[in-house]
Amino acid sequence: MSTVKEFSVEEKLSSLVKLQKIESKMDEIQVLKGELPMEVRDLEDEIQGLNSRQTRIEEEINGIQEFINQKKNAIKDAEALVKKYEKQSENVKNSREFEAINKEIEMQQLEVKLAEKHIKDANEEIAEKVQHLEKARKNISNKESVLKNKKDELEKIIAANEKEEKHFEKMADDARQHVDERLLFSYDRIRKNYRNGLAVVPVERDACGGCFYAIPPQKQSEIRQRKKVIVCENCGRILIDEDLANAVEIK
Ligand SMILES: [Zn+2]
């Protein structure tokens, strides 16, 4: 003979409410954990993208700086040439030679002016890039502090819930022992069908607590009697009275 204890409907319903509450708590933990790792991953990706952007701007600035140095050297060369031509002009033999040297000098002076203009433009470009760089750095540091908070939060949740989860798992196992298989099967099936994971709901304000479908008074009184398992006609969830729902507490 089987030694399995027969439970009254009321006991089964009460255990089912308990199971529902425990598993809803476990769902909450999963939701918390389920979103944070994703948020952390997204932030890490974003920061990586921002970092490569920062590197790119720095490289661009270095490139422009190099260009400026080239132009500065070009100015030095041109100025040296001007000095050389000026010295030459002291020993010219005729006006044609003098004009030719003067033309060279003018050309080199033009080179200097042009290089100076390039340097000025390049410096403006650098100033603009530096601003972008600062913005990018600020953005990165903001994201990094958000990331740090999320990571801390996640670690805390993981640490805090390890114990709680084990505790709930044990409680859930225990609660399952007090419900018959057929009812458990329905419970699990209904739970899986709904995103909020609610399979057992109280009647609230004359309606199903799961789908808000109106429950007639006669049915409500049957539910209150706890003599049989009654499901919502509309959503199929197991209905219980509010007192039973409130009587079960999860610690
Ligand atoms: Zn319903």
Side-chain angles (χ1 to χ4, degrees):
M1 277 295 284
S2 168
T3 53
V4 174
K5 192 184 169 239
E6 262 306 306
F7 297 105
S8 68
V9 172
E10 186 170 13
E11 282 172 317
K12 286 181 202 170
L13 284 174
S14 174
S15 297
L16 215 50
V17 175
K18 195 172 171 192
L19 183 60
Q20 175 70 76
K21 288 196 176 182
I22 295 163
E23 294 195 330
S24 288
K25 288 260 186 207
M26 289 166 81
D27 288 348
E28 279 171 31
I29 296 171
Q30 287 313 315
V31 166
L32 283 176
K33 275 208 270 182
E35 282 171 6
L36 273 174
M38 199 183 68
E39 285 173 3
V40 165
R41 255 197 323 275
D42 284 353
L43 271 169
E44 282 172 342
D45 285 351
E46 207 178 331
I47 288 170
Q48 203 182 10
L50 286 169
N51 274 325
S52 28
R53 189 160 169 246
Q54 184 185 320
T55 308
R56 209 163 51 238
I57 300 172
E58 282 166 348
E59 282 167 0
E60 282 167 1
I61 290 174
N62 286 340
I64 299 169
Q65 197 60 58
E66 210 172 290
F67 173 81
I68 289 174
N69 290 339
Q70 280 167 10
K71 289 295 160 190
K72 279 182 177 165
N73 284 333
I75 289 173
K76 268 188 209 148
D77 290 347
E79 281 171 346
L81 277 177
V82 169
K83 274 211 181 98
K84 192 183 118 193
Y85 291 140
E86 276 171 351
K87 209 160 228 169
Q88 277 180 13
S89 72
E90 289 165 15
N91 304 310
V92 288
K93 294 182 186 83
N94 53 50
S95 67
R96 234 188 73 213
E97 221 176 285
F98 183 77
E99 256 171 49
I101 286 178
N102 258 356
K103 211 164 204 166
E104 284 297 329
I105 290 174
E106 269 171 31
M107 248 171 69
Q108 291 308 318
Q109 283 169 337
L110 215 64
E111 282 291 321
V112 170
K113 280 220 172 87
L114 202 62
E116 281 170 347
K117 166 100 174 60
H118 283 151
I119 289 172
K120 187 174 164 278
D121 290 348
N123 274 325
E124 278 168 14
E125 214 179 318
I126 285 181
E128 207 176 296
K129 298 236 181 254
V130 165
Q131 270 185 355
H132 288 164
L133 194 59
E134 271 164 20
K135 221 182 253 174
R137 280 184 184 144
K138 216 176 263 172
N139 205 355
I140 290 170
S141 98
N142 283 342
K143 298 273 177 203
E144 273 173 346
S145 78
V146 175
L147 175 64
K148 195 192 168 296
N149 287 340
K150 297 262 179 207
K151 270 186 165 169
D152 288 351
E153 205 184 324
L154 180 59
E155 269 164 37
K156 256 186 233 157
I157 289 171
I158 289 171
N161 292 296
E162 255 176 357
K163 227 163 77 188
E164 214 181 9
E165 259 190 311
K166 285 212 176 89
H167 172 65
F168 284 144
E169 266 167 38
K170 229 182 121 226
M171 279 175 76
D173 281 348
D174 188 55
R176 280 176 180 272
Q177 308 280 317
H178 292 79
V179 188
D180 63 272
E181 235 169 86
R182 210 170 54 93
L183 196 52
L184 268 184
F185 181 80
S186 313
Y187 164 84
D188 286 330
R189 190 176 42 89
I190 301 166
R191 218 173 98 74
K192 233 186 280 165
N193 282 342
Y194 293 105
R195 246 156 57 102
N196 62 9
L198 289 180
V200 183
V201 291
V203 176
E204 285 168 335
R205 274 177 245 119
D206 303 324
C208 164
C211 71
F212 312 111
Y213 187 78
I215 310 293
Q218 173 59 30
K219 208 163 199 181
Q220 286 189 48
S221 107
E222 279 180 59
I223 291 164
R224 272 195 300 271
Q225 284 166 24
R226 305 171 190 168
K227 295 285 182 225
K228 55 181 180 181
V229 178
I230 293 168
V231 299
C232 171
E233 273 175 38
N234 186 51
C235 70
R237 289 182 173 100
I238 298 157
L239 292 167
I240 50 161
D241 58 276
E242 264 191 302
D243 290 341
L244 182 61
N246 293 333
V248 178
E249 261 184 83
I250 299 303
K251 268 181 258 164

